[in-house]
Amino acid sequence: MTASNATGYQWQVDQGAGFTNISNGAPYSGATTATLTITGATAGMNDYIYRVVATGLATPAATSNNVSLTVNPPPSITSQPSASTISAGANTTFSVTASNATGYQWQVDTGAGFTNISNTAPYSGATTATLTITGATAGVNGYVYRVVATGLATPAAVSNSAALTVNPPPSITSQPSNSTIAAGANTTFSVTASNATGYQWQVDQGAGFTNVANVAPYSGATTSTLTITGATAGMNGYVYRVVASGLATPAATSNSATLTVNPPPTITSISPTSGPTSGGTSVTLTGTNLTGATAVHFGKVKPLFFQVLHVQNRHF
């Protein structure tokens, strides 16, 4: 402030209840000079009003115009960003709320410390309150994000860190194999899958695949191994596969595997029907489903040898 014919000065402040004289004590100095100095102004002093009264060798004293002090508080984070878990290829956001903020800068730590993010794929909104990640890849799994909020006052406010988890979809690493068994026998179909948290076996009985339930002859229908106990001849030719699900999409569907159930042999005729106890008689057996037969027994006695005479039926 500049005043002519002044020999003394007294600064005054109005904190809301009228003007009072200022004395030289923190945060004030120069209270009786032409320049009042405020050191380390606090947010609580925002909107204080100041004026000076200049005195001289003559009256009256001169009172200056009023001036207002605006103290801008530094920015402050009022709502922190949260960790995010998504599937590979999905989108996500990190958001923050800050008071007294006029600008934002998101940062990422890929493993070597935080660096500023620019608005290039997969990022957008890098200088706003919300960072958007579009089409996250498995490669960004474990990245950590934070934002620096700036304002009209210092210091800047730095948010807490928030981690991004990107779950890869499941993948079949070992396919189920075909199985050939005899009627009434047991078998299994197994699969190995990475990143899988669930399994659902399916069967195609000739009209398309449907889910298998844990009802006889099936067990393990929602595990990596489907068990068939006491397979019937009617199940011959059934086709099986498994759908593996995980924390990310899409689910993985295995190759198909076929079940072959060989029915038991049936004898339709024996010729001759009797012979001497000393043996040596040639016997012809006619029947069905004799393919794969490895032995013939007459009671507890095995023949010396047997021979296949026809492809459709075997005669011994």
Side-chain angles (χ1 to χ4, degrees), residues 81-85 92-94 161-165:
S82 300
S84 178
T85 299
T92 191
T93 60
F94 291 97
S161 299
L164 174 62
T165 300

Side-chain angles (χ1 to χ4, degrees), residues 14-16 28 40-48 50 69-74:
D14 182 356
Q15 302 178 13
Y28 300 117
T42 65
M45 298 171 67
N46 184 52
D47 289 333
Y48 279 13
Y50 295 86
L69 174 64
T70 299
V71 181
N72 292 311

Side-chain angles (χ1 to χ4, degrees), residues 118-258:
S118 59
N119 287 319
T120 55
Y123 299 117
S124 59
T127 56
T128 71
T130 299
L131 175 70
T132 298
I133 302 176
T134 303
T137 65
V140 302
N141 179 53
Y143 281 14
V144 179
Y145 297 85
R146 72 180 185 187
V147 69
V148 178
T150 54
L152 297 175
T154 57
V158 180
S159 73
N160 294 344
S161 299
L164 174 62
T165 300
V166 181
N167 292 312
S171 175
I172 305 296
T173 56
S174 178
Q175 301 287 348
S177 301
N178 296 334
S179 178
T180 300
I181 57 173
N186 307 330
T187 191
T188 59
F189 290 98
S190 293
V191 72
T192 303
S194 60
N195 307 310
T197 57
Y199 301 87
Q200 177 59 63
W201 284 92
Q202 298 181 328
V203 59
D204 183 356
Q205 302 177 11
F209 282 100
T210 58
N211 289 346
V212 175
N214 286 318
V215 179
Y218 299 117
S219 59
T222 56
T223 71
S224 60
T225 298
L226 176 68
T227 299
I228 302 175
T229 304
T232 65
M235 299 170 66
N236 181 54
Y238 280 13
V239 179
Y240 296 86
R241 72 181 184 185
V242 70
V243 178
S245 55
L247 297 176
T249 56
T253 302
S254 72
N255 295 344
S256 299
T258 301

Side-chain angles (χ1 to χ4, degrees), residues 181-184 232-234 236 260-266 288-291:
I181 57 173
T232 65
N236 181 54
T260 301
V261 181
N262 293 315
T266 300
T288 60
N289 304 316
L290 300 179
T291 302

